[in-house]
Each structure stands twice: as structure tokens, then as C-alpha cells.
Amino acid sequence: MNITLIGMSGAGKSTIGKQLAKKLDHKFIDIDDLIRGKIGTDLQTFIDAYGDDEFIELEEQIVIGLHALDNYVIATGGSIVYSEKAMKHLKEISTIVYLDVSFSQIARRISPSKRGLVGFKDKGLKDLYHERKKLYERYLDVRIKIKKGEKKGDIVERIIFSCSDNVSTSGSV
């Protein structure tokens, strides 16, 4: 079984994903790390130079290139939901877990100018959050609502519990 984590930048996809993979004895893939390895620079520099659409295309290509995975935890970039093709592929190969973090928590956790946030310059963080939230909800198999101050280990346990039956219908824990 593979698990894919989706959610806003700052939701904890990479941090929680690493802990989840370790706990499940799975391998871990961070899509942003794969992109950085391919482009040889940070994400924001690439977005500034080539634009949001080019970044989304690159992100899609990398995700669609994931094949024959078994027992992986995949941490996506927050903008992956802009690619229907990539999300369909992830749905075929994994259970999609949406890390649902409140806007106020996201705003405290991130510095958008340093994160490589697709759409930030045009929409601002709040509008981007609400736009993406609808997309995350469209693709999720499982929603994990993260409470302020919740321990990462507790979040990992809730994900494991929620995915234990390889959930194929939307649920919330």
C-alpha cells in the first residue's frame, strides 16, 4: 500500500511523511526534493524564472513518472492539485491523505516568498489557501484535520488508523 500526502505548504507533509514511512517501514519520496534535484536550484528561483505553469508541468511529469511503487509514502508539493493528470495517477497508485490545517496555522508556519508557492504572487496566501482547499477536498480519500499543537506522532497514528483498511471512500478523522 502507498500513501500520498497532500495539503498546503506548511501542512507538514514532508515531516509527517518521513515519520509515517519510518513507522510503517515504507520508503519515502518527497516530490519537492525530486524537483530540486532535477532543476538544480530552489523552487522559488525556478518559479520566478519560468513561471507557475512551467512549474506545474514539471511537477506533473515527475509524479506521472512514479511507477511500480509498493510501500511508499509520497509527500507532494502543495500545488500538485492543479494537475488533474497527476492527481489521477496518484489516486491509481495510492491512498490520498489530505492534511487539513487551518489557515491561521499555515500563515504562522510559512514564509511564502521562500517556499516556492505557485499562485502566491497573483492571489496572496489567503485566496490561495481557499482555492486549493477545494481541490484537496476533491481528490482526498482520507482527511486528517490537524489541531493546533498536535503531536506529529499522534497525527501519524491517525493516518495509519485511517488507511488501515486501504480506504477507498472519503473519510475524516
Side-chain angles (χ1 to χ4, degrees):
M1 172 180 82
N2 299 312
I3 297 172
T4 296
L5 303 178
I6 63 172
M8 280 296 290
S9 295
K13 298 179 299 290
S14 296
T15 304
I16 291 167
K18 288 174 189 170
Q19 288 186 20
L20 179 62
K22 185 175 182 178
K23 180 88 174 176
L24 293 172
D25 197 27
H26 281 29
K27 294 179 182 85
F28 176 73
I29 296 174
D30 187 315
I31 300 302
D32 285 348
D33 285 348
L34 294 178
I35 293 170
R36 277 189 283 274
K38 184 168 179 124
I39 62 177
T41 188
D42 66 271
L43 305 181
Q44 191 60 54
T45 299
F46 182 89
I47 291 169
D48 290 344
Y50 299 100
D52 292 345
D53 292 340
E54 222 25 67
F55 182 81
I56 292 167
E57 174 85 19
L58 176 60
E59 190 174 40
E60 177 182 280
Q61 289 172 6
I62 286 175
V63 166
I64 290 173
L66 300 175
H67 293 289
L69 300 181
D70 191 29
N71 295 327
Y72 275 82
V73 173
I74 304 163
T76 64
S79 59
I80 194 63
V81 290
Y82 291 126
S83 169
E84 186 174 345
K85 194 177 198 182
M87 289 308 300
K88 281 183 178 180
H89 179 68
L90 289 169
K91 270 230 185 261
E92 288 172 5
I93 66 169
S94 65
T95 299
I96 307 289
V97 176
Y98 169 35
L99 300 182
D100 187 359
V101 179
S102 71
F103 174 74
S104 61
Q105 288 181 75
I106 294 295
R108 277 194 305 273
R109 291 180 183 184
I110 68 169
S111 171
S113 62
K114 297 178 183 175
R115 289 300 291 240
L117 266 174
V118 167
F120 174 71
K121 288 181 182 175
D122 295 333
K123 298 177 182 151
L125 188 58
K126 191 167 195 169
D127 287 344
L128 200 58
Y129 174 86
H130 291 294
E131 174 183 88
R132 289 185 182 183
K133 187 170 180 66
K134 292 174 190 169
L135 294 170
Y136 299 136
E137 291 169 346
R138 176 187 305 165
Y139 293 112
L140 67 78
D141 292 311
V142 173
R143 176 195 314 263
I144 301 292
K145 285 189 167 276
I146 298 177
K147 302 166 203 93
K148 183 179 177 186
E150 186 174 9
K151 293 178 183 171
K152 290 170 184 60
D154 292 341
I155 296 166
V156 166
E157 290 300 326
R158 289 197 297 135
I159 293 169
I160 292 169
F161 176 78
S162 298
C163 295
S164 62
D165 293 329
N166 203 6
V167 178
S168 62
T169 58
S170 297
S172 182
V173 176

